Amino acid sequence: MKVAIFTDSFPPSKGGTENAVMRYATALAKNHEVAVFAPKNIKKMDTTNLPFKVYRSLSIKVTTNDYWAMPKISCKMKRQLKEFAPDIIHTQTLGMMADYANAYGRKNGIPVVCTAHTKYRYCYQTYLKIPFIVNMIIKRIIKRAQKADYICAVSNSMADELFSYGLKDKEVFVIKNGHNRREVLPERIYNLDEPFHMIYAGLIVDFKNVATSLKALKILKEKRSDFLFYMIGNGPHYNKFKRMVKKFGLSDNVKMLHYISDRDLLDEYYLKSDLMLFPSVFDTDGLVLLEAAELGTPALVIKGSGASERFTDNYTAFTEENDPEKLANRIDELMNNRTLVKEVGQRADSCFTSWDETAKNYEKLYADILDKKFS
């Protein structure tokens, strides 16, 4: 089977969707011929050792990490797509590349599968702040979803988001991301007498609900100060939260670190952390939670969020209401019961499967689609 994957986010850009597409394409390429079509990035990426081809569309740089694809005028990419001659087109985006993929599939009789990763309204509300414009963009996004032949989402929360945008008369297949366990993991040494360590790794931006963590820690510090919170990542609101840390009197308890690309170094922070504090209601199926879980660091997430769907409270993670005071009280309880935190951390990695399993789920969907096409 030949599968063309279209995406608006692909390395060397950094983020959850970029990582997910890379890992999925790698797993799928073990049994099928795969080509990824993505925006051209100013930064170069060595693709010679990848098990699939990467073709680039002309693009315009929008932010340091985002590129606006222009596939309609990308003659070279059009030629490459025609030569590849896919059996299935899979868009891992509802952006500009999805427009072209939908049109190409419709014109050439190729089924188009779309996977939704991102809660777009959160993003656009943060950056644009004009409801009329945000609603216009959301209408355009859901129109792209309607034009795809089959719709998938990485969580039930993401599926609900699509319906809230106005998706109609479509079934949404939920296929979760995978995580590849490493054969050899660094050893975790538990020292329950040290101060309680927490970690957040991800984009430093309002819609990740970072402020709720800091508000909760401010309340917690009124009771006790024997904790340390690592905030790891970059983002447009990094300085805003740095000021908030100082304003809340948390400078001795919160260490803000920039994005860490060194996996061994990031592992060290996961291993020294008792808990991942992750109150995002934006994330649909956060890969960082799986990275932490593999190393025995359980997460505290928000009840009913996409991030919470994999987990069972007090068994593979902890869930709490999206409220700073309740979060503060829950953290306080966990600090007083570190044996429970350790036990949950040791079970945390039971909540995920491999990217090979994710690929098998999509392979079955592809096969069913092609059977219907030729039956």
Side-chain angles (χ1 to χ4, degrees):
M1 190 185 308
K2 299 174 77 171
V3 182
I5 296 176
F6 279 73
T7 178
D8 283 288
S9 303
F10 194 73
S13 295
K14 302 180 181 72
T17 300
E18 292 87 340
N19 290 334
V21 175
M22 171 68 84
R23 287 168 171 76
Y24 173 64
T26 300
L28 187 66
K30 291 179 180 179
N31 298 307
H32 304 279
E33 192 173 348
V34 176
V36 171
F37 295 83
K40 190 173 183 179
N41 194 301
I42 292 175
K43 297 179 182 177
K44 299 297 182 182
M45 176 188 176
D46 183 7
T47 62
T48 54
N49 293 323
L50 294 178
F52 53 87
K53 296 289 186 182
V54 179
Y55 301 116
R56 299 285 184 173
S57 163
L58 294 175
S59 65
I60 297 174
K61 185 176 181 180
V62 179
T63 70
T64 55
N65 203 46
D66 299 302
Y67 290 79
W68 185 10
M70 298 183 294
K72 291 183 179 179
I73 62 171
S74 300
C75 297
K76 183 178 180 181
M77 192 204 76
K78 289 180 182 180
R79 184 175 68 253
Q80 291 164 334
L81 176 59
K82 184 177 180 180
E83 291 172 354
F84 182 68
D87 301 302
I88 290 279
I89 293 174
H90 190 162
T91 71
Q92 299 272 353
T93 175
L94 285 169
M96 300 295 291
M97 293 294 275
D99 272 332
Y100 185 78
N102 285 334
Y104 189 90
R106 188 167 56 252
K107 180 180 178 181
N108 295 280
I110 303 169
V112 177
V113 178
C114 172
T115 292
H117 295 258
T118 306
K119 293 185 175 181
Y120 293 95
R121 189 179 293 278
Y122 283 85
C123 301
Y124 290 118
Q125 284 176 340
T126 295
Y127 291 112
L128 298 178
K129 302 183 185 298
I130 304 174
F132 172 72
I133 296 177
V134 172
N135 289 335
M136 277 190 5
I137 294 173
I138 294 299
K139 285 181 181 179
R140 183 62 184 167
I141 285 171
I142 209 62
K143 188 175 180 181
R144 291 171 183 145
Q146 288 284 170
K147 287 183 177 180
D149 297 301
Y150 298 85
I151 304 292
C152 299
V154 297
S155 66
N156 292 297
S157 174
M158 185 66 242
D160 291 342
E161 187 85 359
L162 292 175
F163 289 121
S164 77
Y165 293 167
L167 184 69
K168 296 178 181 178
D169 304 321
K170 291 275 189 180
E171 181 181 2
V172 178
F173 300 88
V174 175
I175 299 178
K176 289 190 172 294
N177 293 322
H179 181 77
N180 292 333
R181 289 176 170 84
R182 287 176 277 175
E183 292 183 5
V184 179
L185 290 173
E187 183 181 2
R188 186 180 188 102
I189 299 174
Y190 291 93
N191 188 340
L192 304 185
D193 295 324
E194 288 187 355
F196 195 79
H197 286 63
M198 293 169 279
I199 189 171
Y200 166 86
L203 190 64
I204 308 297
V205 65
D206 275 335
F207 58 70
K208 289 277 196 170
N209 211 20
V210 178
T212 296
S213 291
L214 297 181
K215 290 174 183 176
L217 296 182
K218 178 177 181 290
I219 296 169
L220 179 65
K221 191 166 183 181
E222 294 172 0
K223 301 179 182 180
R224 59 196 302 173
S225 60
D226 54 334
F227 65 88
L228 187 63
F229 179 45
Y230 301 111
M231 284 179 59
I232 299 175
N234 293 329
H237 301 144
Y238 184 93
N239 289 330
K240 171 184 175 179
F241 292 120
K242 191 173 183 179
R243 292 191 296 269
M244 187 178 289
V245 167
K246 185 176 180 180
K247 178 182 177 182
F248 286 174
L250 293 170
S251 298
D252 293 334
N253 303 92
V254 177
K255 304 301 179 186
M256 294 188 67
L257 307 169
H258 288 284
Y259 174 78
I260 295 176
S261 58
D262 185 321
R263 182 59 183 266
D264 291 336
L265 180 57
L266 184 58
D267 281 351
E268 288 181 20
Y269 282 101
Y270 283 140
L271 290 167
K272 69 174 65 173
S273 297
D274 300 277
L275 184 73
M276 171 164 271
L277 182 54
F278 199 83
S280 173
V281 293
F282 163 79
D283 283 77
T284 51
D285 192 32
L287 299 183
V288 292
L289 298 173
L290 309 185
E291 292 175 0
E294 182 181 36
L295 294 174
T297 307
L300 173 56
V301 295
I302 301 302
K303 287 181 181 178
S305 66
S308 73
E309 289 181 19
R310 289 178 177 270
F311 302 110
T312 300
D313 188 31
N314 281 341
Y315 188 77
T316 51
F318 305 99
T319 62
E320 190 49 79
E321 301 293 339
N322 188 20
D323 175 84
E325 187 167 354
K326 290 182 178 180
L327 280 172
N329 290 338
R330 190 63 183 277
I331 295 168
D332 187 33
E333 291 174 8
L334 296 176
M335 290 176 70
N336 291 328
N337 193 352
R338 294 178 69 167
T339 300
L340 173 64
V341 177
K342 175 184 175 181
E343 291 171 353
V344 171
Q346 291 172 333
R347 292 189 294 262
D349 70 345
S350 65
C351 66
F352 60 79
T353 55
S354 69
W355 279 107
D356 286 344
E357 190 66 30
T358 299
K360 286 179 183 177
N361 290 331
Y362 276 114
E363 286 170 5
K364 185 178 184 304
L365 178 61
Y366 296 159
D368 290 345
I369 291 169
L370 293 175
D371 284 345
K372 289 178 182 177
K373 177 183 176 182
F374 294 113
S375 61

